[in-house]
């Protein structure tokens, strides 16, 4: 069993910053990739950023240059540093961990953390 827990969301003014954390725990041999997704009201869930175990990153065009994803493999933890936040970044942010079990990959999701960008 694997648990994924996000933290760090909240209310911030436009132009401000937040740092989200995602910790995976449980029976984990290896995590292939970790990613941050978000879902705004009335919209589909979308990929924000992802990072592989080797450190390769991928970002949505809308957040490039503003958000930075990182991870600590020893702690099974990923982070999302969000700078220059905009009202359109308001959403529930979810963490995904692609965990390797006996050669197969299983995706685990956290419960989400709310990010609200408003003056």
């Amino acid at each position: 069993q694997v648990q994924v827990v996000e933290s760090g969301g909240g209310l911030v003014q436009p132009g401000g910053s937040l740092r989200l954390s995602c910790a995976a725990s449980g029976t984990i041999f290896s995590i292939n990739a970790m990613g941050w997704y978000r879902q705004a009201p009335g919209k589909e869930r979308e990929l924000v950023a992802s990072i592989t175990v080797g450190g390769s990153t991928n970002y949505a065009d809308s957040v490039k240059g503003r958000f930075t994803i990182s991870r600590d493999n020893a702690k099974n933890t990923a982070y999302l540093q969000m700078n220059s936040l905009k009202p359109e970044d308001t959403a529930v942010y979810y963490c995904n961990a692609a965990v390797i079990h006996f050669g197969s990959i299983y995706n685990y999701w956290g419960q989400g953390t709310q990010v609200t960008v408003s003056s």
Side-chain angles (χ1 to χ4, degrees):
Q1 189 74 5
V2 175
Q3 296 80 41
V4 176
V5 178
E6 305 100 336
S7 60
L11 173 65
V12 63
Q13 293 185 343
S17 298
L18 280 176
R19 186 185 193 222
L20 305 183
S21 298
C22 168
S25 61
T27 304
I28 298 174
F29 176 71
S30 177
I31 299 178
N32 183 38
M34 299 186 77
W36 287 97
Y37 293 72
R38 66 186 181 188
Q39 187 167 19
K43 295 187 177 181
E44 294 186 353
R45 189 174 297 189
E46 63 175 356
L47 174 68
V48 176
S50 64
I51 184 168
T52 68
V53 63
S56 297
T57 58
N58 181 47
Y59 294 93
D61 288 342
S62 60
V63 306
K64 284 181 180 177
R66 300 188 297 122
F67 291 10
T68 302
I69 188 171
S70 60
R71 67 187 281 179
D72 184 334
N73 291 331
K75 296 181 179 180
N76 293 327
T77 300
Y79 307 95
L80 186 67
Q81 179 66 43
M82 305 185 294
N83 298 328
S84 302
L85 282 161
K86 305 175 181 179
E88 50 263 44
D89 294 318
T90 295
V92 178
Y93 283 69
Y94 298 90
C95 179
N96 173 273
V99 180
I100 300 173
H101 291 299
F102 301 104
S104 297
I105 296 177
Y106 299 85
N107 284 292
Y108 295 91
W109 293 89
Q111 80 289 348
T113 185
Q114 177 70 46
V115 172
T116 302
V117 184
S118 175
S119 55

